[in-house]
Amino acid sequence: HAAPMAVVFFLSAPFLLGGAAWSETRHFSGWRELSVTSEITVPGSPEQAWRALEEIETVEGERSWMHAVGLPIPTSCELTGSGVGSRRVCVMADGDEIRQVITAWDFPNRFEMDVTDTTLHGRKWLKIEGASYDFFLSEDGSETRVVRVSTISSTLGPAFYWRYWERKTLEAEHRLVLSHLEREVHGE
């Protein structure tokens, strides 16, 4: 009896999702924002963690299965200048770029970036808005907690379905970059 129910569910799923998407477009149209926060604690000072993230020659971190199926893989980030107004460009494995401007610079506590342009696919339905890093020294001064927040906007529907995948995508990107940071401060 389980097999026929699975077939019924599988065949009806597109109609259920389509109905949810139709309902959303009648009651909501426009961009919805999502911010995702991740953190890691690494040995060393906030200055060391900051320097390892502001400019990255080669990103070497933990890749998700999502990267294997097409999630962009950042390979480097280059900073031009320092302080508010400086520019940062992150390059993906396929050559696409995310261009950013620094909007907050409080060395070694916080830096924040707004995305000014990107060549990534999907720009009509998904916008990368910006990101920030906060650095907190532990009480004993031996390690630093790094908190990353990324914000996107999306028009994908139905939202209840896409919100899950949007969150998982940002978490995978965070894991890649923060695991890179961990390798850098450990000297690997």
Side-chain angles (χ1 to χ4, degrees):
H1 296 309
M5 287 304 292
V7 170
V8 168
F9 176 77
F10 181 74
L11 293 176
S12 64
F15 297 105
L16 294 172
L17 290 173
W22 175 80
S23 175
E24 279 183 6
T25 57
R26 289 182 42 96
H27 301 290
F28 170 80
S29 61
W31 294 90
R32 57 184 160 61
E33 195 172 273
L34 172 68
S35 292
V36 172
T37 302
S38 300
E39 64 180 67
I40 191 169
T41 300
V42 295
S45 69
E47 291 86 357
Q48 291 169 306
W50 174 297
R51 295 287 184 224
L53 287 172
E54 73 178 348
E55 189 165 16
I56 303 171
E57 187 174 318
T58 304
V59 178
E60 293 182 13
E62 179 185 328
R63 292 186 183 177
S64 160
W65 65 268
M66 298 176 97
H67 292 104
V69 296
L71 183 62
I73 302 168
T75 56
S76 66
C77 292
E78 183 177 340
L79 181 68
T80 304
S82 67
V84 173
S86 58
R87 303 284 175 174
R88 187 172 185 248
V89 177
C90 293
V91 179
M92 305 296 128
D94 65 359
D96 282 340
E97 295 181 346
I98 299 175
R99 294 178 207 56
Q100 306 161 323
V101 63
I102 304 297
T103 57
W105 185 278
D106 178 19
F107 180 81
N109 304 307
R110 175 181 179 76
F111 70 91
E112 187 172 334
M113 305 150 288
D114 283 349
V115 172
T116 58
D117 188 31
T118 180
T119 58
L120 295 173
H121 303 290
R123 293 180 307 243
K124 293 181 181 187
W125 42 264
L126 185 94
K127 295 178 188 175
I128 305 169
E129 302 290 349
S132 65
Y133 290 96
D134 289 286
F135 305 85
F136 303 96
L137 184 63
S138 64
E139 285 186 28
D140 69 2
S142 67
E143 54 190 16
T144 298
R145 182 169 57 99
V146 180
V147 178
R148 178 176 177 175
V149 178
S150 295
T151 303
I152 63 167
S153 295
S154 173
T155 60
L156 287 171
F160 76 87
Y161 173 79
W162 285 107
R163 177 73 70 198
Y164 172 83
W165 290 110
E166 291 161 358
R167 179 174 301 283
K168 289 298 179 192
T169 297
L170 288 174
E171 289 171 351
E173 291 296 335
H174 285 193
R175 192 167 35 261
L176 176 68
V177 173
L178 294 177
S179 66
H180 166 81
L181 168 63
E182 188 172 39
R183 287 179 150 179
E184 285 291 305
V185 298
H186 281 291
E188 294 177 19

